[in-house]
């Protein structure tokens, strides 16, 4: 009975947390579309999420594209420009570009959001905002949600280009492929549905990363230890949700 009771408590706790997160997301989205807005905070978050994440996303993408070309050439034995270009452009634009960029941003931005808002929570700065008639959802949550939803697709677009460039460099300098033929094969292999699905994934991943970062930071408690726990929870939960929604969106676009 004790075992069953613990399963029941765990199930109830899980559904309660899902409901709490859904409510938090609903309030956050409501304030994203309802004025007043804070343009300066939105631009500041866009720079933080987009511009400062470019180096890590770019490095991840170029090495991923290069490895994808190497592995494809090794796996297929002898393969020409068309095969390698097809594998690289499909792999990067459909899956690896959005997923790796999302995970990198979750590790960097999700943790930073949770730490910043969590520190404001435990030092009672959020209570002070409320006292000053400033809605913390509108001031802290909405700008981060808007910025993340807007910037992740741009980051993934850059990751797609750099990832394909990585595959191109390996194919040209390691395999001796003809650059013109490889580029033409890359362009011919570019699939509109796969490309758009990658950008849709990026927007959803941006929302999830910002949601988990702000949610765990907003509900952190217990001083410095609680802020540290909120940071860990933000990264772990965002990464898990990101992979889950990657499967769901892929199924929606390509199930048929």
């Amino acid at each position: 009975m004790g075992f069953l009771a613990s399963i029941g408590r765990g199930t109830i706790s899980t559904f309660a947390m899902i409901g709490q997160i859904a409510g938090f997301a609903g309030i956050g989205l409501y304030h994203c579309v309802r004025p007043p807005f804070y343009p300066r905070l939105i631009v500041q978050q866009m720079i933080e999420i987009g511009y400062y994440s470019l180096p890590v996303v770019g490095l991840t993408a170029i090495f991923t594209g290069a490895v994808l070309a190497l592995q494809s050439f090794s796996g297929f034995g002898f393969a020409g420009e068309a095969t390698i270009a097809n594998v690289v452009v499909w792999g990067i634009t459909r899956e690896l570009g959005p997923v790796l960029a999302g995970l990198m941003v979750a590790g960097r931005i999700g943790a930073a959001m949770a730490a910043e808002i969590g520190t404001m929570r435990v030092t009672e700065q959020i209570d002070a905002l409320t006292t000053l008639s400033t809605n913390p959802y509108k001031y802290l949550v909405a700008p981060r949600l808007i910025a993340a939803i807007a910037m992740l697709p741009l980051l993934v677009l850059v990751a797609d280009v750099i990832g394909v460039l990585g595959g191109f460099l390996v194919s040209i300098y390691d395999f001796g492929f003809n650059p013109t033929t490889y580029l033409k094969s890359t362009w011919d292999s570019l699939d509109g549905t796969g490309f758009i699905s990658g950008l849709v994934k990026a927007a959803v991943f941006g929302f999830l990363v910002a949601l988990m970062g702000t949610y765990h930071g907003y509900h952190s408690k217990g001083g410095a230890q609680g802020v540290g726990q909120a940071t860990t929870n933000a990264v772990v939960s965002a990464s898990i949700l990101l992979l889950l929604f990657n499967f769901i969106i892929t199924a929606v676009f390509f199930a048929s």
Side-chain angles (χ1 to χ4, degrees):
M1 288 297 291
F3 177 70
L4 292 176
S6 64
I7 292 177
R9 284 194 294 271
T11 304
I12 293 172
S13 175
T14 301
F15 278 103
M17 177 175 287
I18 291 173
Q20 195 175 21
I21 292 173
F24 186 88
I27 297 172
L29 288 173
Y30 172 77
H31 286 289
C32 285
V33 297
R34 185 176 175 82
F37 303 107
Y38 293 93
R40 186 181 63 80
L41 292 178
I42 295 172
V43 172
Q44 182 182 341
Q45 290 299 321
M46 290 174 79
I47 294 172
E48 182 66 32
I49 296 170
Y51 181 73
Y52 290 117
S53 296
L54 271 176
V56 65
V57 170
L59 282 173
T60 305
I62 195 166
F63 287 125
T64 302
V67 168
L68 198 56
L70 282 173
Q71 291 282 23
S72 302
F73 191 79
S74 172
F76 288 126
F78 175 78
E81 288 91 339
T83 306
I84 301 301
N86 187 283
V87 171
V88 171
V89 75
W90 275 48
I92 292 292
T93 56
R94 286 191 176 200
E95 291 298 327
L96 296 176
V99 170
L100 292 177
L103 290 174
M104 291 298 107
V105 173
R108 183 179 174 277
I109 297 300
M113 287 181 182
E116 183 181 359
I117 297 178
T119 302
M120 293 180 70
R121 167 61 71 191
V122 299
T123 55
E124 300 182 351
Q125 293 181 56
I126 294 179
D127 297 330
L129 284 175
T130 306
T131 305
L132 295 171
S133 301
T134 301
N135 190 314
Y137 283 93
K138 188 169 288 297
Y139 188 79
L140 297 175
V141 179
R144 287 167 172 80
L145 289 177
I146 294 171
I149 293 171
M151 294 312 295
L152 254 292
L154 294 178
L155 277 175
V156 167
L157 196 60
V158 173
D160 288 347
V161 174
I162 295 177
V164 171
L165 174 65
F168 171 81
L169 293 176
V170 168
S171 299
I172 300 307
Y173 292 106
D174 278 11
F175 309 148
F177 287 169
N178 182 284
T180 306
T181 307
Y182 186 90
L183 289 175
K184 183 178 184 306
S185 300
T186 298
W187 180 256
D188 292 340
S189 303
L190 190 60
D191 171 48
T193 304
F195 180 73
I196 292 171
S197 75
L199 297 183
V200 172
K201 287 179 182 180
V204 174
F205 295 167
F207 170 72
L208 293 173
V209 169
L211 176 65
M212 289 296 99
T214 53
Y215 171 80
H216 288 288
Y218 194 86
H219 292 92
S220 65
K221 54 187 176 184
Q225 187 177 2
V227 174
Q229 188 63 48
T231 303
T232 303
N233 291 340
V235 176
V236 172
S237 58
S239 301
I240 293 172
L241 285 175
L242 192 147
L243 296 174
L244 171 64
F245 276 84
N246 179 52
F247 170 75
I248 293 172
I249 296 171
T250 301
V252 169
F253 271 89
F254 302 105
S256 59

